[in-house]
């Protein structure tokens, strides 16, 4: 399968966003850019904060990070999602990529569809 690589600024900005999110007190257990078939890249961040503080806290912190980032983040808030830590997606990400760091790979969803991916880390 031919890969449309996610490179340069997108990778750097995604990592920068993750670091800024952590500075705001959001724990991150896994982070991956992935592109479902016939779709655009999205940054999925697995965080235990989903269970303890809820999705609203994650997105309000995301807005705060975007509002105060200097220089301004060169990515779109709409490209970020927070899957529940207990979803199959999050479990499979941690199971198959635990200990991985900065790896281009392929993820498969429940229907067996391939997603091009870049895993920052999974623990």
């Amino acid at each position: 399968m031919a890969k449309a690589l996610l490179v340069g600024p997108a990778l750097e900005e995604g990592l920068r966003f993750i670091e800024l999110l952590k500075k705001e007190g959001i724990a991150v257990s896994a982070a991956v850019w992935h592109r479902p078939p016939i779709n655009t890249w999205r940054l999925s961040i697995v965080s235990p904060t989903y269970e303890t503080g809820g999705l609203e806290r994650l997105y309000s912190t995301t807005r705060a990070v975007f509002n105060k980032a200097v220089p301004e983040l060169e990515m779109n808030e709409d490209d970020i999602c927070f899957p529940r830590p207990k979803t199959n997606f999050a479990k499979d990400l941690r199971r198959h990529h635990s200990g991985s760091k900065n790896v281009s790979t392929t993820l498969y969803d429940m229907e067996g569809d391939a997603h091009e991916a870049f895993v920052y880390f999974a623990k």
Side-chain angles (χ1 to χ4, degrees), residues 7-18:
V7 294
L11 290 176
E12 293 166 11
E13 287 298 279
L15 185 56
R16 184 170 155 235
F17 172 74
I18 293 163

Side-chain angles (χ1 to χ4, degrees), residues 2-88:
K3 299 231 181 232
L5 296 176
L6 178 71
V7 294
L11 290 176
E12 293 166 11
E13 287 298 279
L15 185 56
R16 184 170 155 235
F17 172 74
I18 293 163
E19 293 305 319
L20 291 170
L21 200 61
K22 288 178 179 179
K23 286 181 182 176
E24 292 294 321
I26 302 296
V28 177
S29 56
V32 59
W33 274 108
H34 59 107
R35 186 173 80 165
I38 315 171
N39 224 328
T40 59
W41 287 94
R42 92 176 116 197
L43 176 59
S44 290
I45 299 171
V46 180
S47 173
T49 302
Y50 193 117
E51 303 296 339
T52 60
L55 193 55
E56 184 177 329
R57 177 165 180 226
L58 291 169
Y59 281 113
S60 67
T61 304
T62 293
R63 280 187 296 283
V65 166
F66 270 83
N67 288 337
K68 62 184 181 181
V70 177
E72 188 174 301
L73 283 160
E74 294 181 27
M75 56 186 289
N76 190 328
E77 281 182 70
D78 295 335
D79 296 336
I80 300 166
C81 64
F82 294 96
R84 275 200 140 120
K86 295 179 182 176
T87 62
N88 287 332

